[in-house]
Amino acid sequence: MSDDEQRGRRAASVHRVGGLLGDLQAADEQPVAPRRRADAERNRAQILAAAEQLFAEQDPRSVTMDRIAKAAGVGRATLYRSFPDPSSVAVALLDEHERRLQGQLIYGPPPLGPGAGAGERLAAFYLAMLDLLERHLPLALGAETGPARFRTGAYGFWRVHVRTLLVDHGVQDPDPLIDIALSPLSPELYQFQRHELGLSTERIGRSLADFARQLLRSAG
């Protein structure tokens, strides 16, 4: 056998061994990623479930990352890999409920969805938001109070929706009015009216529906 043939066989042998080792390594590593994803999903579910209970049981602004980690039975590092602060945990919990309402605003029947006048749509939006706040106030207080409220994706969506209604109504300069129109939906204000003043959701809703129509009439 020539030297070239021997070198060729040795190279082929090395290539086969390397390929087998690579196949074994790939086979060994393949289940790891799904296992890690399953672990991460399970940890996230535990975190969200524990946090929702904490937000419901105490002042949401007093909930800390330490308390969430302990209640969820996960380490701080695991918690921080998914969420930077308690507010982001509340945002994740509230997100599903808000997305459902967003879909109704875009695709749902009037007056909440397209097809009604701007004043009636704004009134319907107020009533839908009050319902969301009534059912998920602890989460809203944990996610959307103070300056943080204006930086959430949901608030950005509400701004676009209200601006669209104002423009459709013929308001020449809608931008200064957008946040004025959204200000009655502050979770802190709703908490004050419902739990300190004792106003019913129905009473608040009637006043906000009238406010919506008057705002559009005066701005048009």
Side-chain angles (χ1 to χ4, degrees), residues 22-216:
D23 290 343
L24 289 172
Q25 184 178 18
D28 184 56
E29 290 179 353
Q30 191 172 3
V32 173
R35 278 204 303 270
R36 287 175 180 168
R37 284 196 296 271
D39 289 344
E41 290 171 4
R42 184 176 61 253
N43 288 337
R44 179 182 173 85
Q46 289 177 210
I47 290 166
L48 293 177
E52 186 156 25
Q53 186 171 354
L54 287 174
F55 285 128
E57 290 175 348
Q58 58 193 268
D59 184 343
R61 289 157 292 191
S62 70
V63 174
T64 65
M65 294 295 271
D66 279 341
R67 288 183 181 179
I68 294 173
K70 289 176 182 176
V74 301
R76 284 170 54 89
T78 298
L79 176 58
Y80 277 103
R81 273 197 295 271
S82 299
F83 303 101
D85 51 44
S87 177
S88 64
V89 182
V91 168
L93 285 164
L94 192 60
D95 183 61
E96 181 180 347
H97 308 298
E98 291 180 326
R99 281 204 311 270
R100 190 174 299 117
L101 175 54
Q102 289 165 6
Q104 292 172 340
L105 293 174
I106 299 172
Y107 305 112
L112 189 58
E120 293 306 311
R121 291 198 69 193
L122 182 60
F125 170 60
Y126 280 153
L127 295 178
M129 284 295 295
L130 289 184
D131 181 63
L132 189 149
L133 287 171
E134 179 68 18
R135 288 184 291 114
H136 305 292
L137 183 60
L139 295 181
L141 287 169
E144 298 183 349
T145 55
R149 178 181 182 226
F150 305 108
R151 294 192 292 270
T152 64
Y155 189 80
F157 185 97
W158 311 141
R159 290 192 91 257
V160 170
H161 178 63
V162 171
R163 190 182 195 282
T164 300
L165 296 181
L166 294 173
V167 170
D168 288 348
H169 192 67
V171 177
Q172 295 299 312
D173 187 14
D175 294 321
L177 278 178
I178 298 172
D179 301 294
I180 294 172
L182 288 170
S183 61
L185 302 176
S186 160
E188 292 162 308
L189 175 59
Y190 186 74
Q191 181 190 41
F192 174 72
Q193 291 185 316
R194 280 287 286 126
H195 301 291
E196 294 193 37
L197 298 182
L199 301 179
S200 68
T201 304
E202 292 75 17
R203 188 176 174 187
I204 298 170
R206 283 194 300 271
S207 294
L208 279 182
D210 289 341
F211 172 74
R213 299 181 185 103
Q214 291 171 12
L215 176 67
L216 269 295

